[in-house]
Amino acid sequence: MDSKNLPLTSEPKLTRKDFLSAVDPRWCPGCGCYAVFKTLTGILPTLDIPKEKFAIISGIGCSSRFPYYASTYGFHTIHGRAPTVAMGLKLSRPDLSVWVMTGDGDGLSIGGNHFIHMMRRNPNIKVILFNNQIYGLTKGQASPTTQVGTKTKTTPAGVQDNPMRPVAMALAAGATFVARAHDSDNELLTEVLTAAANHQGIAFVEIMMNCVIFNDGAIDSITGKVNRAETTVRLRDGEPLVFGAQADKGIRLRNANPEVVALSDARKEELLVHDVHRPDSSLAFLLGQMSAPTPFGVFRQVNLPTADGIYPQQQEMDLDKLLRSGTTWTET
Amino acid sequence: MTHDQNVGEAQSSALPGRNTSGKKIEELDEIVIRFAGDSGDGMQLTGDQFTTASAMMGEDVATLPDYPSEIRAPAGTVFGVSGFQLRFGGGEVFTPGDRIDVLVAMNPAALKTNVPSLRENGIIIVNEDAFSARNLEKAGYTANPLESSDLARFQVFKANISKLTQNALEGSGLTGKQVDLCKNFFALGLSYWLFNRSMEQTQKWLKKKFAAKPQLLEANLKVLQAGWNFGNTAEMFSTSYVIRKQETRKPGTYRYVTGNTAAALGLLAAAKRSGLKLFLGSYPITPATDILHELSKYKQHVTVFQAEDEIAGIGSAVGAAFGGALAVTTTSGPGLSLKTEFLGLACMVELPLVVIDVQRAGPSTGLPTKTEQSDLMQALWGRHGEAPLVVLAANSPRDCFDITVEAARIALKYMVPVIVLTDGYLGNGAEVWRIPSLNELPEFTNNLRTEKEGFQPYSRNPKTLARPWAVPGTPGLEHRIGGLEKEDGSGSVSHNPLNHEKMTHLRAEKVARVAQDIPPTAVYGHENAELLVLGWGSTGGVIREAVRKLSSKGVPVACAHIRHLNPLPSDLKDLMKRYKKILLPEINSGQLWYHLRANYLIDIERMNKVQGLPFRSDEIETKIMSMLGGNQ
């Protein structure tokens, strides 16, 4: 059942305030989690879904405290396993709007297996990955997305392992909606989270964010206000990939590699035109791997049958008949 | 006895005396027969057919399949031997039997593996054609046992089963391989003749199975009949047997079920009785997978989610429980280890959950296809923090139905996770089961709540201490739960030391109160028994058999079987005190023994076996006699 088609039971119209619990958020001052919380609690009331139909499921970590601060049904589960709980909930209760709040350690390290299987199964669930490239709640260890060279408590000489790319991971696992935003662009956050909310199927959003305490400034080189126009590119469906403060650069494909070109040197037709609805995810995967500039926005949005839609509707059971199926005999 | 229309009328008109061919018919009380061959020889199927035919004649049956963990080990080797043992009798049959009376061996390896279990003067039927030099070598024989005096203490019937099958199918157009695959039905037909079983049920089954393959149907029917005819005409068989009827069963509709099937049906029955949707989250693992298979047949009535791993199996079930379903996960020991962290969460958030552990021999991968009762301590204690939950155990294959219904009833009434322990022996073993009707099942209650007024997520039912079950979708009851400690009543996150202590005690007390639902412990055996044999789980049948045998001879012994392991029955302590001696046999090194002594400070003699095999009745009888001085 499409949760959007349910009759409204909560009147009058919901506002952001209706989605705030009695517990005030307790993230560190300046934490990127606040931006996501503020934006999302602003979007939920606009979706025409009764408040009681929302269920927010989380694992363990800073991001996973999210459910306590929203006044919907919420379940703070165990480390890495939120996708499994969300999956069981959604399959048995397709009428609910189920959201998973996770982080880079929770979702990609301890919960990596659940993550890829949730992506491939395409349940109608929204997965928000708060990526601050560090373990925050355990006070500063390298996570699977920490950049090479970063010094942390467990990597005093700098991280050696290559970081995982969440967008590419989700795409490789077959996710039908994949997007990326960051914590310092509210308009982008709103656009991406709204699109995720409206997608039918798995919706994966990576939100790159700052950890002020243990990894401060890790994404400044990408999302910092001063250079942002040069270091990022916005993905817009049907539009060529153009970026730069003067909108003077574009991306084109050369030998199957994305390449930055000055618009003065290239014809407009040469530029890569973004198409979120391409059935094949290869191009989205390519963009997901790109880092200079780093793409933001929706990488992919295709409609495929959802897991919760595929499972048979449950029917009334004739137990007596069922128990007596197969070979039976009667003794008198 | 009458039969349902899908079965037809069974015949078993044979009486002791002479049959129509003038051969002798002898009467027996019961028989243990074992079909053994290569993994690919269809021995499980043959045994299954023979069991159904026997059960439908009104006889009691108990079965034990025994197969290697390799799917198709090299043909002809002892590693690849697959066996199916069944015992059928006119009276109550509690176990598949200790000693084999009749061995049907399809090759030298099957003979070699099973001869040690054959009783003196027992019957061996061998496929002589399979005793080639190469097969003898593969089985590790240096000389052909059929031509030596090794088998002199048995009655050996050498039949050219392969050749006779080929003869029966001459001109059938089947390939040599297809013909060879029919030979188990020759052995089945011959066994049907030997014990005067009706072949009708098997004929019907074949007609259904090969409805779309008339050539194979005809071939199998022909070979089945050829096997029967061979027994009836070959001179070597002078005698066939019938079973002396002793007991008449309670009126009702019957079927024969394995423990795993019974558990699956129990879950469906519990869903019906509770009026809730059923959800199974599970990951394949031997020997529990058959529950997953069975429920997958009923996807219109149960949401079956084959998860990516054991953790996701229980995680999805916890999610479904949060959403208001009757949620279940099924597994075996290694899987239970992986589910441990989620069991702690389920205990903390106080959601109803049923976990079925079909135990196998461990630790680690251990002996995956062999049985053991060694997960008891893990079920009772295997979690971090103090996380008590309810533990139940089935005592027979058919009890897997009742115990599963009981687990669901308790989980829903008390808002608590319940672990059900069965094992490979119960899960794969089968017996005759009288199918209950819906109104014979226990009443169910649950804690679903929609009332807004005064709602608190961790308020408690004064009798059961259950918290309200307010599921997503209920307007006005939005709340958050999670693994962090909860404040009593409000359910808010709390780090208050006294609150933590209080909640720890409340969670324990809630489990303890389940004891108020446990019926009085039943005792069987001698009225003035001095010795009580206690047991739990799959030793139920063998203990009962040993005690029946000895107490009927006047030996002062009785037995009681515990189905509720946590909490324990409240009458157990007084019951134990009534006996001078207590014996506790377990297929582990003494886990319940440890638990009972810790709880009651009562001396109990333990008896343990950890060979991946069930106890034999004679082992328990010997122990009982030695404890009673041996001169009773």
Side-chain angles (χ1 to χ4, degrees), chain A:
Chain A
M1 198 191 324
D2 180 355
S3 49
K4 288 191 68 191
N5 296 336
L6 288 165
L8 270 175
T9 59
S10 307
E11 300 283 347
K13 227 169 168 44
L14 296 166
T15 67
R16 179 167 183 269
K17 265 194 171 161
D18 293 311
F19 283 82
L20 303 181
S21 79
V23 182
D24 287 332
R26 287 179 207 154
W27 291 299
C28 307
C31 174
C33 293
Y34 282 105
V36 185
F37 181 73
K38 183 155 190 276
T39 307
L40 195 58
T41 47
I43 291 171
L44 296 183
T46 69
L47 298 175
D48 280 352
I49 298 172
K51 194 176 94 170
E52 67 272 13
K53 292 284 187 183
F54 287 100
I56 303 178
I57 317 295
S58 67
I60 294 292
C62 297
S63 59
S64 291
R65 295 297 176 99
F66 193 110
Y68 289 119
Y69 309 140
S71 65
T72 64
Y73 282 95
F75 198 167
H76 180 218
T77 70
I78 50 180
H79 204 15
R81 318 300 176 198
T84 72
V85 174
M87 198 73 203
L89 180 62
K90 184 66 187 177
L91 290 181
S92 60
R93 291 290 306 278
D95 59 308
L96 300 176
S97 176
V98 179
W99 294 68
V100 169
M101 301 296 153
T102 185
D104 40 312
D106 187 66
L108 300 175
S109 192
I110 193 167
N113 190 35
H114 308 309
F115 178 84
I116 55 178
H117 286 280
M118 170 165 259
M119 295 300 136
R120 81 175 170 92
R121 289 188 170 116
N122 199 34
N124 195 356
I125 293 174
K126 323 298 164 202
V127 181
I128 315 299
L129 185 125
F130 297 54
N131 183 8
N132 60 8
Q133 306 182 5
I134 196 82
Y135 282 90
L137 207 57
T138 49
K139 303 190 176 181
Q141 300 78 30
S143 91
T145 56
T146 308
Q147 298 303 306
V148 171
T150 308
K151 290 182 178 171
T152 73
K153 284 179 186 158
T154 49
T155 56
V159 166
Q160 292 181 332
D161 299 334
N162 287 317
M164 201 177 253
R165 299 167 193 271
V167 162
M169 274 273 290
L171 286 164
T176 54
F177 178 100
V178 178
R180 183 192 283 143
H182 61 83
D183 58 356
S184 45
D185 184 341
N186 206 41
E187 186 203 320
L188 170 68
L189 256 181
T190 306
E191 179 193 311
V192 158
L193 288 174
T194 306
N198 290 322
H199 175 65
Q200 294 298 306
I202 189 79
F204 172 68
V205 182
E206 177 198 5
I207 300 173
M208 293 173 70
M209 62 169 58
N210 193 34
C211 172
V212 280
I213 309 295
F214 297 109
N215 204 15
D216 195 25
I219 59 169
D220 274 0
S221 62
I222 299 167
T223 63
K225 268 222 162 93
V226 184
N227 285 325
R228 190 185 296 168
E230 301 297 330
T231 54
T232 69
V233 55
R234 278 295 297 273
L235 302 172
R236 289 194 171 88
D237 188 36
E239 292 184 19
L241 273 72
V242 173
F243 69 106
Q246 309 302 322
D248 56 350
K249 300 182 196 70
I251 312 281
R252 71 178 175 192
L253 273 188
R254 178 64 55 97
N255 297 327
N257 288 313
E259 173 182 270
V260 174
V261 285
L263 290 191
S264 54
D265 297 340
R267 284 178 290 124
K268 195 135 195 209
E269 309 87 81
E270 282 183 77
L271 296 181
L272 196 52
V273 176
H274 191 47
D275 178 2
V276 297
H277 304 303
R278 281 173 75 105
D280 181 276
S281 62
S282 307
L283 207 53
F285 186 81
L286 201 89
L287 294 172
Q289 298 273 60
M290 200 166 83
S291 56
T294 303
F296 286 90
V298 179
F299 287 75
R300 184 180 201 223
Q301 196 275 308
V302 296
N303 291 318
L304 289 173
T306 62
D308 36 300
I310 290 168
Y311 273 69
Q313 288 280 323
Q314 299 294 287
Q315 293 166 10
E316 185 65 22
M317 123 179 43
D318 181 345
L319 184 72
D320 284 335
K321 192 174 158 199
L322 190 151
L323 295 181
R324 285 160 181 75
S325 56
T327 303
T328 64
W329 66 94
T330 302
E331 301 194 11
T332 47

Side-chain angles (χ1 to χ4, degrees), chain B residues 581 621-630:
Chain B
K581 290 179 176 176
E621 289 162 40
T622 305
K623 179 74 184 174
I624 292 171
M625 293 313 288
S626 82
M627 281 180 74
L628 289 172

